[in-house]
Amino acid sequence: MSESDQLPAKVVKRQGHAWPEGEPEVGSRVQVATSGLVGTVRFHGQIEGKTDELWLGVELDEARGKNDGSVEGVQYFSCPPNHGIFAKPSGFTPARRRKTRRSRTPSASSIQAAAKDLFRRRFLSGIEEHDIECLRKMLPDAQKWGLDAADIGAAERVIEFELEMTKTKEG
């Protein structure tokens, strides 16, 4: 049994037709005017037992609705429980498009800044850990990477200290 066969005879399912100006079509994204909830129009037509006015059935993006697309046992569209609502077209506005975050290629300056920060953190770690191999490799480029004289001096003192300690242990 198709969805159309399940609908009562009075229901006019107008999917794919042009609506009066200002009324969304089935498939349109809408926002509930009072709550701001967003969803997709799944039904546009009359509802059995209601006034002869046209109603919209909307599947909400969030489970904050009142039904599963049915009213009083009559299924007008299908959606998960608590995702469906029905209201007159005047209760909806066009959904605002979400701004999608475009992926950006990092700029050369931001890459340079990240590299400089990484160099500095590794250099300072070498000082703290007394890693003279690391400091010996990094010291020639320390000025080029913008490290200040105090950090460079600290690295030189660590290297001197560790060399003295090595000589003391050997001698």
Side-chain angles (χ1 to χ4, degrees):
M1 184 187 252
S2 73
E3 187 178 338
S4 297
D5 295 336
Q6 295 175 0
L7 300 177
K10 287 178 78 177
V11 175
V12 179
K13 187 164 183 174
R14 300 178 60 186
Q15 193 167 6
H17 293 93
W19 308 121
E21 188 172 315
E23 290 186 17
E25 295 183 17
V26 171
S28 298
R29 298 285 292 160
V30 294
Q31 184 171 3
V32 181
T34 56
S35 67
L37 294 171
V38 177
T40 304
V41 176
R42 298 291 184 212
F43 170 81
H44 189 274
Q46 295 175 335
I47 297 177
E48 188 175 307
K50 300 286 183 186
T51 64
D52 286 342
E53 296 178 272
L54 295 176
W55 292 75
L56 291 184
V58 174
E59 180 180 352
L60 298 173
D61 294 348
E62 301 174 38
R64 294 182 53 197
K66 298 180 179 182
N67 57 59
D68 63 355
S70 63
V71 176
E72 297 176 5
V74 179
Q75 194 78 43
Y76 294 94
F77 66 95
S78 295
C79 68
N82 299 317
H83 278 74
I85 60 168
F86 288 89
K88 294 178 182 171
S90 61
F92 298 95
T93 60
R96 294 187 188 123
R97 292 185 184 253
R98 290 184 182 174
K99 290 184 180 179
T100 56
R101 192 173 188 168
R102 292 183 291 175
S103 61
R104 255 185 12 175
T105 303
S107 66
S109 62
S110 67
I111 293 171
Q112 181 72 18
K116 180 178 177 180
D117 182 59
L118 182 62
F119 184 91
R120 183 174 190 280
R121 283 188 284 138
R122 183 61 191 112
F123 189 81
L124 294 177
S125 175
I127 293 171
E128 286 178 29
E129 296 172 12
H130 284 232
D131 184 345
I132 61 170
E133 285 301 312
C134 167
L135 293 174
R136 280 183 172 166
K137 290 177 185 174
M138 296 181 81
L139 200 53
D141 295 323
Q143 263 189 325
K144 178 178 85 173
W145 285 99
L147 294 175
D148 59 36
D151 290 335
I152 293 170
E156 290 170 340
R157 287 190 296 280
V158 166
I159 292 170
E160 288 174 22
F161 174 80
E162 289 298 326
L163 290 175
E164 285 297 318
M165 293 300 292
T166 303
K167 285 181 186 175
T168 304
K169 287 179 185 175
E170 292 174 356

